[in-house]
Amino acid sequence: MTENTPKAARASKKLELAEAVSRYLPDEVESLAIGGMHMHNNPMALIREAVRQKKRIKRLITSPAACINADLLIGAGLVEEIVTSYVGFEHLGLAPAFRRFAQEGKLKVYEIDELTLILGLKAASNGQPFAALSPVLAFSDVSKFSPEFYRPITNPFNGQPAFACPPIKPQIAFIAVQQGDEFGNGILKGAPFIDREMLFAAETVLLQVEQLAPSEQITRNPLQVTVPGMKVSAVVEARFGCHPTSCHRVYHYDEEHLKLYLQMAATNEGFEEYLQKYIIGYSEEEYLKRTQSRTL
Amino acid sequence: MTENTPKAARASKKLELAEAVSRYLPDEVESLAIGGMHMHNNPMALIREAVRQKKRIKRLITSPAACINADLLIGAGLVEEIVTSYVGFEHLGLAPAFRRFAQEGKLKVYEIDELTLILGLKAASNGQPFAALSPVLAFSDVSKFSPEFYRPITNPFNGQPAFACPPIKPQIAFIAVQQGDEFGNGILKGAPFIDREMLFAAETVLLQVEQLAPSEQITRNPLQVTVPGMKVSAVVEARFGCHPTSCHRVYHYDEEHLKLYLQMAATNEGFEEYLQKYIIGYSEEEYLKRTQSRTL
Amino acid sequence: MQIRLETIGRPRKGYSILELMACVLSRTLKDGTTVGTGAGSAVARAACRLAQLTHAPNLNYLAGGSGAVNPLLDPLVDSSCDYTNYICESVVTMSDVIGSIPSGTTDLFFCGGLQIDRYGNVNLSVIGDYNKPRLRGPGSAALPLMAGARHFIIFMTDHSPRSFVEKVDFRTAPGFLEGGESWRLAKAQGLIGGEGPLLVISPLAVLDFEEESKTMRLLSVHPGKTVEEVVAATGFSLMVPEHVPETIPPSPEELQFLRSFDTDGILS
Amino acid sequence: MQIRLETIGRPRKGYSILELMACVLSRTLKDGTTVGTGAGSAVARAACRLAQLTHAPNLNYLAGGSGAVNPLLDPLVDSSCDYTNYICESVVTMSDVIGSIPSGTTDLFFCGGLQIDRYGNVNLSVIGDYNKPRLRGPGSAALPLMAGARHFIIFMTDHSPRSFVEKVDFRTAPGFLEGGESWRLAKAQGLIGGEGPLLVISPLAVLDFEEESKTMRLLSVHPGKTVEEVVAATGFSLMVPEHVPETIPPSPEELQFLRSFDTDGILS
C-alpha cells in the first residue's frame, strides 16, 4: 500500500481536556450521557472537568448502573433531572449526593428499568419512533412515576396493553476507553457495558482515552475497534482518567478513595470540602497526586 | 483453581451432523433461521443435511442478505414461505431457485427491509411486544406487500403514523462459527453479521463449528466468545462446512463452485442433477471430495 | 488497591450467615437452567458457582451487567461488573442479559430490595413520597421486569419490621401483587409471563408463598434463630406452619467448595 | 479460490466504464461526511476510498453489512462482506450500519436497482406482479429506508428502456415519489427525514433531479456517448438542458490512486 498514501492529512480530533469540554459543552447542556457501569470505566476526567467548568446539565442520562460519575455532578449542584435505573455504590453503599438531592426535592428523578433505558437509546440510534415495551411493566410503579418513559399504547397484534418509550438521544456523551487513536477509534478492552449504545445514540461524543497510540497500532485488529472514530467529536488522553473507578484491564477501582468520597459526600459541607481538596483549581495530574497521597 | 473441580461432569452437546438435524428438527419445521451473509459464513453443512433429511420448512427466515443457504432449501422444494430482505449472489448474479419458485408462485415471499428484520429478531430476544418502525417505510411498497410485518400504528408522542413489526422468533436457528467447544461456546472470528441476533431470538440453536477445540482453549479469552453455550442445543463439527461460501479467516468462498451452482440451478432439472451429484446420498466428506474434484 | 490483607489467614471455623445463605440458595438451583444475578450479588454468584461445582454442572449463570457467563470466581469479588468476573466462559451484552428477563429465556433471577411485603412485592426505589422521599434508594435496576421473569428469588440483607413491611412504599419489582386473587386475574389476562417470586431468603429465615393466597410463609429458620424472632422481625402477619424446620447448615463439602473460590473472604 | 490470474499484467491503457463511474462518484463525496455502501458495491467502495486518498481525507465509509469502517481495499474485492474488507479501521454491527439510515447519522448512501423511474423511485424487488413476478429480483435490502436517509445516490449498471422506466413496478426505495408536489406534501407532513436522491449514475450518463418538478435531468454524458443515445435509452421523457457537458474523464492521478488498490482489476 506504499503507493496508496492520501494526498491530504486527516484532521486530528485530539484536544486537551479543558479545551474539549469548553468547546463541545454549552454552559447549559440539554442532555449528557455518561458511560461506564458501577465503579468501572466511568469517564471521570471528563466529568471532573465539567465540574470545574460548572457546566449545567438539564438532563443527566446514565448507564443502567451509575456510581460516582452521576453522584459527583449531582453533588456539585449541576444536574436538574436524571434518567437512570440505578445510582449507587454497589457493595459500598448508597449514593450520597444523589440521595440527598432527591430527598430534598432538588433533583427530579426519572427512574426507569434497565431494558427501557437501553431500548430508548437504541430507538434513537436506529431512527425508531419509539421503543415498544412489555406490558409486564404495568405492574411496577416505575411506569406510574416516570410516565414520560412509559406511555400506554395498544399492541396492534393482540389488542393487549403495552408501553412506548421515546427515543433517548443525548446531546453529548462522555465515554471512556482503554486505548484509542487521535481520530477517535477506540478499543474497549474490557466490558463494553452500554457505552456503544450511548455513543451511537448521542449527537456529540467526547472520548476519554486511557492510552493514546498511533492509529496503525490501534487499528491493527479492527474487529476489536468497536468505537468508530466517525462517531467521536473529540479525543482526550487521560491517564488514570477513570479514577477512582476501575479501568478494566488497566487498574482496579480505588476502594479506599471511594469510601473516603462516600464519607465526605454524606453532607453538603463535606462534599464541598471534597471538591476543594481534590478537584476545583487542580489539574488532573494534581488530582491524581492529591488522591494518591494519603497524608494530605 | 485445582481444588475447585466440579463433582459431576458437564454434558457434552456435541452430536454427529445427521443426528443433530434429525433430533432437533421436526419433519415440519415451523420456522428456521439461517445465519451468514451473502457468500460468507453460511451454515451449509447443516443446510445440506436438512436437504438430505427432507425437512420441510414452513417459514424460512434469513439474515439481511441470503445466498445459497436459502436458495438450496428453496430449490429442494422444502420451503413454503420466506422472510427476507435479499436473496442473491451479489456480484455473481440472481438467486436461481428463489427466482424460479417465486416467479412460478410456488414460494410466498415476505420481503422486508433489513432494519425491520433485525428489529423483529431483537423484539423476540428482548421480550418486546413488537418493534416500532419509522414512518418513512410507508413510502416503500414493502409495507404494502408484506403488511404482516408493517402493521400501521400511531406514534403516541406526536400522533404521526408509524409501523409495528411482530417479534420474529425462529423455532430453530442454524449458525456457523469458526471455533467452538462441545458445550456450545463459539467464537465468531470474522464478521458476526446478525448471527448473534438470530441465536438469541431462536428457541433452539444448532451450532456448526469449523474447528472444535477443548473448552479451556476456546474460553481462554472469554471476551471473544460471543456465542454463549447456554443458547446452543447441539454442536456439530464440520470442516469446510460453510463451503461453497467463505468461512471468514479460514477459507475464501469457492467462486468456481458457486458459478457452477448458478448454472445448474437455473432449471429444475439442473438443480435436481446438482442435488444428485453432490448432496443426496453423500456424506459431507464425500460432498467435499466431489466438489473439489474438477473431473467428475 | 482493594487488597484485603486482614482476611488472609482468617480462621475458618463454623460459617458466616452469608455462607449459609449461599448454600441454601445453591441448593434451590436446578441443573441445566440459566440463572441471572444482579448488582452487588456476591452471594448469588457464589450460590450459582457452588451449584455448578456440586449438583448442577450444566447450570449457566450471568454476572449482572458485566454480561459475563459462568465466571469461575477466581476469586469471588464484590462488584458484579468487576473485571475478575471476565475470567469466565463467554461474554454477552448487557441488553442480552436484561432482555432475557421479559423474553423468559433466563429461568431464574435473583433480586434484592430495601423493603418487601407479604405478597413478595419488592422496593428498591424510595421510602416515603416518590418526589421527596425519606430515603432515596438506588433505583429499579431490572426489578420492574420481574413480572416477566420465569422465576425469581428475593435476597434480603436485613430482616426487621422496617424491611419486611405490610405494604411497600414503592413497588419496584412486582411480586404476587395484592395476593392470590389479583395475581390470578393478571395471569388470566395474559399480562404476566412469569411465575412470581419463588423464595425469599433473609439473615433469619427462608420463606416462600402459600399457593392459594400467595402470602409469605415461613419455610425454615436459620440455626440459632427461633420462629418467634422471625415473627417479631416481620412487619406483617407471617404464615407460620405448625412445624418449622431448621435451615440445613452448610455441609463441610459445601463450605470447602465455597471457600475454594471465596479466597478473599467476601462472604465471611 | 477466486484468484484472477487473467487480470495480472493486463494492459492499463485508457479506463473502463466502472473506473469512470468510480471517479465521478468520488468527486461528489464531501470531506468530513459519512457514507454507506451496500451489496455488490465495489464501485461505491472504490469511490469512497478514492475520495479519501484525494480530496476527502476525513470522509468515513461503511462497507455494507460487513460493518467494516474505512476498509483500505487491500485490495478491492467484489463482495461487500468479504473478509478482505476487515482490513479497515473499526468494525460496527450490521444494526449500527442500517440504523444510521433512518436516524440520519449517515450522510449519504449508495443504492442500486433493477428499475428507476423519472422521479428516482428505485425497484430492486420484482418486475410484474408481486406474487407471481416476471422477474423476481433479490429484494429490498436497506432501500425502503432511503426516505429517511439524508441523501442517496443511485447506481445503475444498465441504462435502457427496460431499466429507466416511466413507473417502477415496485417502489423499493422511494425517490421523489410522484414528483415535486407529492414530495413537498410528504416533507411538510414531517414523514420524510431525508432530502431524496442526489444523483443517478449509469454506464451512459450522470443525472440529477430538477428542483421544482423533481423529474430526472441529464447532467453530463460519458465520453463517447451522445445526448441522443441517452434519450433513446431512457424509457421516459428525460429533462435535457440546452447544453449538456461531457462527463469529466478520470484524471491520471485518479486512475493511479484507483489502480493502487484495485490490483485485481475488479473495475477493469
Side-chain angles (χ1 to χ4, degrees):
Chain A
M1 302 294 293
T2 46
E3 60 193 316
N4 203 338
T5 309
K7 282 175 70 180
R10 229 166 134 177
S12 173
K13 293 176 177 174
K14 192 186 168 203
L15 288 178
E16 291 304 310
L17 177 63
E19 170 68 12
V21 170
S22 77
R23 188 186 299 181
Y24 285 100
L25 269 70
D27 289 338
E28 307 269 333
V29 179
E30 195 57 41
S31 57
L32 173 70
I34 47 175
M37 256 182 55
H38 291 301
M39 54 278 287
H40 307 283
N41 291 30
N42 292 10
M44 293 308 298
L46 286 166
I47 285 167
R48 280 187 290 266
E49 187 57 29
V51 169
R52 289 184 197 105
Q53 296 190 22
K54 294 193 171 49
K55 298 291 186 182
R56 292 197 54 81
I57 298 142
K58 162 89 173 128
R59 170 171 287 188
L60 185 66
I61 299 164
T62 79
S63 83
C67 185
I68 191 170
N69 49 0
D71 208 61
L72 194 71
L73 290 166
I74 294 167
L78 297 172
V79 180
E80 192 174 323
E81 58 189 40
I82 185 170
V83 177
T84 191
S85 305
Y86 177 104
V87 186
F89 283 65
E90 219 181 351
H91 55 289
L92 301 178
L94 298 175
F98 171 64
R99 201 181 144 182
R100 196 168 60 249
F101 276 68
Q103 290 175 189
E104 293 173 2
K106 295 195 291 191
L107 176 72
K108 168 83 184 148
V109 181
Y110 289 100
E111 180 175 336
I112 64 178
D113 70 279
E114 298 177 329
L115 187 59
T116 296
L117 183 44
I118 296 170
L119 294 175
L121 291 166
K122 290 297 288 179
S125 60
N126 282 326
Q128 293 179 269
F130 58 87
L133 309 175
S134 168
V136 303
L137 293 162
F139 299 100
S140 168
D141 284 342
V142 291
S143 58
K144 294 186 186 67
F145 286 92
S146 297
E148 293 84 342
F149 293 87
Y150 298 96
R151 189 71 70 96
I153 54 170
T154 301
N155 179 337
F157 297 102
N158 61 13
Q160 282 198 350
F163 291 98
C165 170
I168 299 175
K169 195 171 177 54
Q171 184 188 9
I172 315 269
F174 285 174
I175 302 293
V177 296
Q178 284 80 357
Q179 297 178 331
D181 69 17
E182 59 175 327
F183 306 118
N185 295 303
I187 302 176
L188 288 156
K189 298 278 282 186
F193 299 129
I194 62 152
D195 289 354
R196 292 190 78 261
E197 286 84 349
M198 275 188 177
L199 73 89
F200 272 88
E203 283 168 41
T204 298
V205 175
L206 268 57
L207 192 70
Q208 172 186 310
V209 178
E210 189 64 30
Q211 189 194 5
L212 211 60
S215 196
E216 312 83 75
Q217 191 178 320
I218 293 301
T219 62
R220 197 162 291 162
N221 177 6
L223 280 158
Q224 72 174 0
V225 186
T226 57
V227 173
M230 62 189 178
K231 294 297 301 175
V232 173
S233 294
V235 177
V236 163
E237 187 171 35
R239 295 284 173 119
F240 295 102
C242 296
H243 183 274
T245 73
S246 87
C247 180
H248 272 181
R249 296 174 84 169
V250 185
Y251 45 86
H252 206 283
Y253 57 91
D254 185 346
E255 184 163 315
E256 202 178 324
H257 188 82
L258 285 173
K259 283 177 172 166
L260 175 73
Y261 172 82
L262 288 177
Q263 202 185 325
M264 294 182 77
T267 63
N268 277 323
E269 299 67 35
F271 186 91
E272 189 54 34
E273 193 192 331
Y274 180 88
L275 287 189
Q276 296 305 330
K277 192 165 173 185
Y278 296 110
I279 298 180
I280 307 286
Y282 297 113
S283 69
E284 278 296 296
E285 208 170 42
E286 289 165 322
Y287 162 83
L288 288 169
K289 272 201 200 119
R290 296 178 73 82
T291 54
Q292 294 317 298
S293 156
R294 301 306 185 202
T295 54
L296 269 189
Chain B
M1 303 295 291
T2 47
E3 61 193 314
N4 204 337
T5 310
K7 281 175 70 181
R10 234 166 131 176
S12 173
K13 292 176 177 174
K14 190 184 170 210
L15 287 179
E16 291 304 311
L17 177 62
E19 170 68 11
V21 170
S22 78
R23 188 187 296 183
Y24 285 99
L25 270 70
D27 289 338
E28 308 270 334
V29 179
E30 195 56 43
S31 57
L32 174 70
I34 48 176
M37 258 186 47
H38 291 302
M39 54 277 285
H40 307 284
N41 291 28
N42 292 8
M44 292 308 297
L46 286 165
I47 285 167
R48 282 188 287 268
E49 187 58 29
V51 169
R52 290 185 197 105
Q53 295 189 24
K54 295 192 171 49
K55 298 291 186 182
R56 291 197 55 81
I57 297 142
K58 164 87 173 128
R59 170 171 288 188
L60 185 66
I61 300 163
T62 79
S63 82
C67 184
I68 190 171
N69 50 359
D71 208 62
L72 194 72
L73 289 166
I74 293 167
L78 297 172
V79 180
E80 195 174 321
E81 59 188 40
I82 186 169
V83 178
T84 191
S85 307
Y86 177 104
V87 187
F89 284 66
E90 220 180 352
H91 56 289
L92 300 179
L94 298 175
F98 171 64
R99 201 182 144 180
R100 196 167 61 250
F101 276 68
Q103 289 173 193
E104 292 173 4
K106 294 194 293 190
L107 176 71
K108 168 83 184 148
V109 181
Y110 289 101
E111 181 175 335
I112 64 179
D113 70 278
E114 299 178 329
L115 187 59
T116 296
L117 183 44
I118 295 171
L119 295 176
L121 290 168
K122 290 298 287 180
S125 60
N126 281 326
Q128 293 178 270
F130 59 87
L133 309 175
S134 168
V136 302
L137 293 162
F139 299 100
S140 168
D141 284 342
V142 291
S143 58
K144 294 186 187 64
F145 286 92
S146 297
E148 294 83 343
F149 292 88
Y150 298 96
R151 190 71 70 95
I153 54 171
T154 301
N155 179 337
F157 297 102
N158 60 12
Q160 282 199 350
F163 292 98
C165 170
I168 299 176
K169 194 171 179 55
Q171 184 188 9
I172 315 268
F174 286 172
I175 301 294
V177 296
Q178 284 81 356
Q179 297 178 331
D181 69 16
E182 59 175 328
F183 306 119
N185 296 304
I187 302 175
L188 288 156
K189 299 277 282 187
F193 299 129
I194 63 151
D195 290 354
R196 293 189 77 261
E197 285 84 348
M198 276 188 176
L199 74 89
F200 271 88
E203 283 168 40
T204 298
V205 175
L206 269 56
L207 192 71
Q208 172 187 310
V209 178
E210 190 64 28
Q211 189 194 4
L212 211 61
S215 196
E216 312 84 75
Q217 192 178 322
I218 295 300
T219 62
R220 198 162 290 162
N221 176 5
L223 280 158
Q224 71 174 0
V225 186
T226 57
V227 173
M230 62 188 179
K231 294 297 301 174
V232 172
S233 294
V235 177
V236 164
E237 187 171 34
R239 295 286 174 117
F240 295 102
C242 296
H243 183 273
T245 73
S246 86
C247 180
H248 273 179
R249 297 174 84 167
V250 186
Y251 45 88
H252 206 283
Y253 58 92
D254 186 346
E255 184 162 315
E256 202 179 321
H257 187 82
L258 285 172
K259 284 176 172 167
L260 175 73
Y261 173 82
L262 288 177
Q263 201 184 324
M264 293 183 76
T267 63
N268 277 323
E269 299 66 35
F271 186 90
E272 189 54 35
E273 193 191 332
Y274 179 88
L275 287 189
Q276 295 304 330
K277 193 165 172 185
Y278 296 110
I279 298 180
I280 307 286
Y282 298 114
S283 69
E284 278 296 295
E285 208 170 43
E286 289 165 323
Y287 162 84
L288 288 170
K289 272 202 199 119
R290 296 177 73 82
T291 53
Q292 293 318 297
S293 156
R294 302 305 185 201
T295 54
L296 268 190
Chain C
M1 300 169 193
Q2 212 206 14
I3 292 171
R4 295 162 175 273
L5 280 171
E6 72 282 11
T7 66
I8 293 172
R10 75 192 188 286
R12 291 289 198 150
K13 286 177 199 152
Y15 54 85
S16 74
I17 187 70
L18 292 177
E19 286 177 327
L20 171 70
M21 289 163 96
C23 292
V24 169
L25 292 175
S26 169
R27 295 171 202 146
T28 68
L29 302 177
K30 292 200 178 70
D31 195 23
T33 58
T34 301
V35 180
T37 68
S41 57
V43 169
R45 268 176 277 130
C48 291
R49 182 71 187 132
L50 180 57
Q52 288 180 331
L53 291 170
T54 54
H55 66 282
N58 302 296
L59 177 138
N60 289 291
Y61 80 102
L62 297 151
S66 74
V69 182
N70 296 338
L72 290 177
L73 308 187
D74 186 13
L76 178 66
V77 289
D78 284 305
S79 174
S80 60
C81 289
D82 201 284
Y83 189 71
T84 308
N85 288 313
Y86 288 90
I87 302 170
C88 66
E89 249 178 51
S90 62
V91 178
V92 299
T93 68
M94 174 82 192
S95 147
D96 294 334
V97 175
I98 307 304
S100 77
I101 308 175
S103 71
T105 47
T106 292
D107 298 291
L108 175 75
F109 254 83
F110 283 101
C111 76
L114 300 167
Q115 289 183 327
I116 185 170
D117 70 18
R118 75 168 71 222
Y119 300 120
N121 300 295
V122 179
N123 177 9
L124 193 60
S125 303
V126 290
I127 292 176
D129 176 65
Y130 179 79
N131 289 307
K132 214 173 168 178
R134 281 203 312 284
L135 174 72
R136 173 68 244 189
S140 59
L143 269 63
L145 299 159
M146 288 301 148
R150 291 178 70 170
H151 298 286
F152 66 104
I153 287 180
I154 302 157
F155 180 92
M156 296 294 290
T157 51
D158 178 65
H159 194 146
S160 72
R162 278 188 332 161
S163 53
F164 280 66
V165 296
E166 184 65 41
K167 193 169 166 24
V168 287
D169 289 31
F170 188 99
R171 189 202 281 156
T172 316
F176 290 112
L177 309 176
E178 282 86 42
E181 205 170 317
S182 69
W183 174 256
R184 283 184 291 273
L185 178 64
K187 286 289 281 183
Q189 290 171 331
L191 298 178
I192 286 195
E195 298 303 318
L198 198 64
L199 212 71
V200 180
I201 192 163
S202 82
L204 302 182
V206 183
L207 311 104
D208 73 348
F209 298 88
E210 191 270 326
E211 292 72 15
E212 187 61 24
S213 66
K214 302 296 187 190
T215 54
M216 203 186 290
R217 174 171 65 185
L218 189 54
L219 263 189
S220 70
V221 293
H222 296 343
K225 312 293 175 191
T226 65
V227 171
E228 291 67 33
E229 278 179 84
V230 177
V231 168
T234 304
F236 53 84
S237 118
L238 193 61
M239 190 174 284
V240 182
E242 207 173 334
H243 300 288
V244 179
E246 188 177 78
T247 307
I248 298 167
S251 72
E253 186 190 73
E254 283 173 328
L255 279 180
Q256 194 186 332
F257 274 120
L258 210 51
R259 291 171 182 174
S260 74
F261 57 76
D262 184 20
T263 49
D264 281 359
I266 301 286
L267 306 184
S268 299
Chain D
M1 300 167 193
Q2 212 206 13
I3 293 170
R4 295 161 175 273
L5 279 170
E6 74 280 10
T7 66
I8 293 172
R10 75 193 188 286
R12 292 287 197 148
K13 289 176 197 154
Y15 54 84
S16 74
I17 187 70
L18 292 178
E19 286 177 328
L20 172 70
M21 288 163 96
C23 292
V24 170
L25 292 175
S26 169
R27 295 169 202 147
T28 67
L29 303 177
K30 293 200 178 72
D31 195 23
T33 59
T34 301
V35 180
T37 68
S41 56
V43 169
R45 268 175 279 132
C48 291
R49 183 71 187 131
L50 180 58
Q52 287 180 332
L53 292 170
T54 53
H55 65 283
N58 302 297
L59 177 138
N60 289 293
Y61 79 103
L62 297 150
S66 74
V69 182
N70 296 337
L72 290 177
L73 308 186
D74 185 15
L76 178 65
V77 290
D78 284 306
S79 175
S80 60
C81 290
D82 201 284
Y83 189 70
T84 308
N85 288 314
Y86 288 91
I87 302 171
C88 65
E89 250 178 52
S90 61
V91 178
V92 300
T93 69
M94 174 83 194
S95 146
D96 294 334
V97 176
I98 307 304
S100 76
I101 308 175
S103 71
T105 49
T106 292
D107 298 290
L108 174 75
F109 253 84
F110 283 102
C111 76
L114 299 167
Q115 289 182 328
I116 185 170
D117 69 18
R118 73 168 71 221
Y119 302 119
N121 300 295
V122 179
N123 176 10
L124 193 59
S125 303
V126 291
I127 292 175
D129 176 65
Y130 180 79
N131 289 307
K132 214 172 167 179
R134 284 203 311 286
L135 174 71
R136 172 68 243 189
S140 60
L143 270 63
L145 298 159
M146 288 301 147
R150 291 178 71 169
H151 298 287
F152 65 104
I153 286 180
I154 302 158
F155 181 91
M156 296 294 290
T157 52
D158 178 65
H159 195 149
S160 73
R162 278 190 330 160
S163 52
F164 281 66
V165 296
E166 183 67 40
K167 192 170 166 26
V168 288
D169 289 32
F170 188 100
R171 189 204 280 157
T172 315
F176 291 112
L177 309 176
E178 283 86 40
E181 204 170 316
S182 68
W183 173 256
R184 283 184 290 274
L185 178 65
K187 285 290 281 182
Q189 291 172 331
L191 298 177
I192 285 194
E195 299 303 319
L198 197 65
L199 212 71
V200 180
I201 191 161
S202 82
L204 302 182
V206 183
L207 312 103
D208 73 347
F209 298 88
E210 190 270 325
E211 293 70 16
E212 186 62 22
S213 66
K214 302 296 186 190
T215 56
M216 203 185 290
R217 174 171 65 185
L218 189 54
L219 263 188
S220 70
V221 293
H222 296 343
K225 312 293 176 191
T226 65
V227 170
E228 291 67 32
E229 277 179 87
V230 176
V231 168
T234 303
F236 52 86
S237 118
L238 193 60
M239 191 174 285
V240 181
E242 208 172 333
H243 299 289
V244 178
E246 187 176 78
T247 307
I248 299 166
S251 72
E253 185 190 74
E254 282 174 328
L255 279 180
Q256 194 185 331
F257 274 121
L258 210 51
R259 290 169 183 176
S260 74
F261 57 76
D262 185 20
T263 50
D264 281 0
I266 301 287
L267 305 183
S268 300

